[in-house]
Amino acid sequence: MYDQPRPNRATPAMTFDQMLESVRYEGAYPTRERAAETVHHVLTALGRQLTGDERVDLAQCLPVEAALTLTAQIPDTEHLTGWGFVKDLAARTDATPATARWDTGAVLAVVTRLAGSDLLARILRRLPGGYALLFGQAELRRPEPAAA
C-alpha cells in the first residue's frame, strides 16, 4: 500500500540558528555550542521513541538540521515512559537525571512551539505516559475502561 501524499509544507517557522538561540534562551545555556549539543542529544533520543506519521510530520515542522537528527535514529522497540526517557538520556550523555530533565525541557519547549497544538496532541497520544510534562503540557489521565 502506498502512503497518501502529503502537501508540501513551506519552510519551517524558524531556521536552525533561530532554534539554537531559542533553546539557548530556554535552557539558559552559556554558549551556542552547548545549546547545539543539547538539541542533538534530545532530538536523537526523541527519534528513538517517536514513530509513524507523527515522526514524519514533526520532522517537517523542524529546521532541516534538526529534522535530520530526529529521523536519523532507528526507533527502539521498547517504548520508554517520560521518566524512562529522561533516565536513558542521562545515561547516554553521562549527565545527572536533573540535567537531562532540564535539557529535555529546554529543547521540547521549542519543539512544542514549532509543532503546534494539533500535532503535539497526536504525538502525546502515540507516546507512553509522562511525556506531556516534558513538552510543558499538563499530564491528563486517560479514562480507564469500566469493568464489565
Side-chain angles (χ1 to χ4, degrees):
M1 206 170 225
Y2 296 103
D3 287 335
Q4 295 295 323
R6 298 179 199 281
N8 288 335
R9 296 197 180 183
T11 57
M14 65 174 61
T15 66
F16 189 62
D17 288 337
Q18 291 168 328
M19 182 180 189
L20 291 181
E21 283 304 314
S22 294
V23 169
R24 183 176 176 196
Y25 177 80
E26 288 288 336
Y29 299 117
T31 65
R32 186 182 190 90
E33 291 74 24
R34 175 71 172 97
E37 178 183 314
T38 302
V39 167
H40 175 75
H41 290 312
V42 173
L43 290 181
T44 295
L46 185 60
R48 288 191 296 269
Q49 296 300 308
L50 193 57
T51 60
D53 289 342
E54 291 75 19
R55 177 184 171 110
V56 173
D57 292 345
L58 179 58
Q60 288 180 340
C61 295
L62 298 174
V64 172
E65 299 88 339
L68 291 173
T69 300
L70 177 80
T71 58
Q73 305 311 305
I74 297 171
D76 284 344
T77 56
E78 177 187 348
H79 294 287
L80 302 172
T81 63
W83 178 236
F85 178 88
V86 170
K87 290 191 308 186
D88 182 63
L89 181 62
R92 289 175 186 262
T93 60
D94 200 27
T96 66
T99 300
R101 173 60 182 94
W102 181 270
D103 291 347
T104 299
V107 174
L108 295 185
V110 176
V111 169
T112 295
R113 290 195 300 269
L114 290 170
S117 59
D118 291 341
L119 177 55
L120 182 60
R122 289 179 29 225
I123 289 169
L124 292 176
R125 279 193 299 272
R126 179 164 292 274
L127 294 170
Y131 280 88
L133 293 174
L134 299 178
F135 281 94
Q137 306 296 305
E139 182 77 44
L140 302 176
R141 290 182 53 130
R142 296 179 181 139
E144 297 192 21

